[in-house]
Amino acid sequence: MAMPKYVEIQNKLKQEIKSGKFKYGDRFYSEADLKDKFNVSSITVIRALRELVVEGFLVRYQGKGTFVSYSLGGSLVHLSVRGNSINSEKEPYDKMTVLDVVEGNNPTILNKLKLTPNDHYYLVKRIRYKEGQPFAVYFTYLPADEVEDDLLKDKNNFESIFYLLKNKLNIHLEDEPFSDKLTIVHPTEEVSANLKIEPSSLVVNQEKTIVSQTTSTPLYYHVAYIRWDAFSLVFSSPNYPQNN
């Protein structure tokens, strides 16, 4: 089977970066530059760049450009998470079930989203399945100004929030700065019921915040509970062979 074009471009650009042609923090090729360089479509270029971002070679700032985040002398580590990756909503799954979308103004969540006491947010509750079994429960909080009234007519509009915000508001969450905290906890009664596990079980708790690169305003606050047997962490350097 022929190698996909975006993978071919990804590998060639990776070699350019690793060769020392670019230094840490250097501005990288623009999408237009790469379209001309490889004579391909924007879709192919964007896919190659996003893969390099995931691998830790590049960082992209909306409105500013793409920059090199790999250093030959650095200690950059690539993180791979089975079951719940950094851009978790992009990973394969059997299905996502939206349980509810509710309005709220809990002071703790308002503080997480840097909203005022007079503001409100929407909480999206979801369950994610693999191989027919629930393996993660998601509680995602969005500032109210990101949620249009017509979207509330059908909760299934919120199945993929990354996709929703990109297509409705042109907000690319995968390209924005984030903080991701993982801890091991006992599930709440609601979580254990949704995951079909005992309350005495352990789960991985993910607390993730994505902010705007330009304003530092939180765009997305997300709390997930993942079954321990559907989760693993792998740390590797970017130059480690991917097929090992």
Side-chain angles (χ1 to χ4, degrees):
M1 181 182 295
M3 180 183 296
K5 190 65 178 179
Y6 82 89
V7 175
E8 180 183 331
I9 294 172
Q10 174 189 348
N11 289 337
K12 288 180 178 178
L13 293 177
K14 190 186 304 182
Q15 289 306 312
E16 284 194 39
I17 295 170
K18 291 168 67 175
S19 72
K21 180 176 180 179
F22 295 91
K23 296 179 181 179
Y24 178 86
D26 281 354
R27 181 181 290 275
F28 199 59
Y29 299 113
S30 67
E31 290 179 15
D33 291 336
L34 293 174
K35 282 177 59 180
D36 293 340
K37 181 180 177 70
F38 294 105
N39 192 28
V40 293
S41 68
S42 295
I43 294 175
T44 301
V45 165
I46 292 171
R47 181 72 185 274
L49 289 173
R50 285 185 176 173
E51 292 299 322
L52 289 169
V53 169
V54 170
E55 288 190 292
F57 286 90
L58 299 174
V59 60
R60 306 192 74 192
Y61 298 130
Q62 191 168 356
K64 294 185 178 181
T66 303
F67 299 85
V68 175
S69 59
Y70 175 81
S71 172
L72 289 174
S75 57
L76 183 67
V77 173
H78 175 60
L79 171 62
S80 174
V81 186
R82 177 173 66 87
N84 196 61
S85 73
I86 294 301
N87 291 313
S88 58
E89 296 190 25
K90 298 172 64 179
E91 296 299 307
Y93 56 88
D94 290 351
K95 71 172 183 176
M96 185 89 80
T97 297
V98 181
L99 299 177
D100 206 357
V101 181
V102 295
E103 188 176 3
N105 65 345
N106 181 290
T108 300
I109 303 302
L110 290 174
N111 184 58
K112 293 285 187 181
L113 292 171
K114 295 187 178 179
L115 298 174
T116 72
N118 295 323
D119 291 325
H120 63 280
Y121 56 80
Y122 285 97
L123 163 59
V124 183
K125 299 181 181 182
R126 296 171 293 167
I127 302 179
R128 188 171 173 183
Y129 295 81
K130 268 190 178 180
E131 299 177 357
Q133 297 296 319
F135 85 95
V137 180
Y138 293 165
F139 300 89
T140 305
Y141 302 86
L142 302 172
D145 60 6
E146 293 179 7
V147 180
E148 299 174 357
D149 289 342
D150 65 316
L151 295 175
L152 298 170
K153 297 176 182 177
D154 183 358
K155 65 183 180 181
N156 291 318
N157 288 324
F158 296 85
E159 180 178 333
S160 173
I161 292 173
F162 275 55
Y163 178 85
L164 175 69
L165 294 185
K166 180 172 68 174
N167 284 274
K168 287 292 185 179
L169 298 177
N170 197 31
I171 297 175
H172 295 254
L173 290 177
E174 65 269 28
D175 292 336
E176 300 291 350
F178 68 88
S179 170
D180 214 336
K181 178 183 177 182
L182 302 175
T183 54
I184 306 298
V185 301
H186 289 291
T188 64
E189 184 175 337
E190 178 182 8
V191 169
S192 61
N194 285 326
L195 292 180
K196 298 180 180 180
I197 59 176
E198 295 295 327
S200 59
S201 303
L202 292 174
V203 293
V204 179
N205 172 225
Q206 178 197 32
E207 185 178 357
K208 180 171 186 173
T209 304
I210 302 178
V211 303
S212 166
Q213 171 64 31
T214 54
T215 66
S216 297
T217 303
L219 302 169
Y220 169 103
Y221 175 61
H222 175 83
V223 179
Y225 298 90
I226 308 104
R227 291 177 59 116
W228 70 267
D229 53 356
F231 187 90
S232 67
L233 290 173
V234 178
F235 294 91
S236 61
S237 63
N239 58 350
Y240 188 77
Q242 293 185 17
N243 58 351
N244 282 17

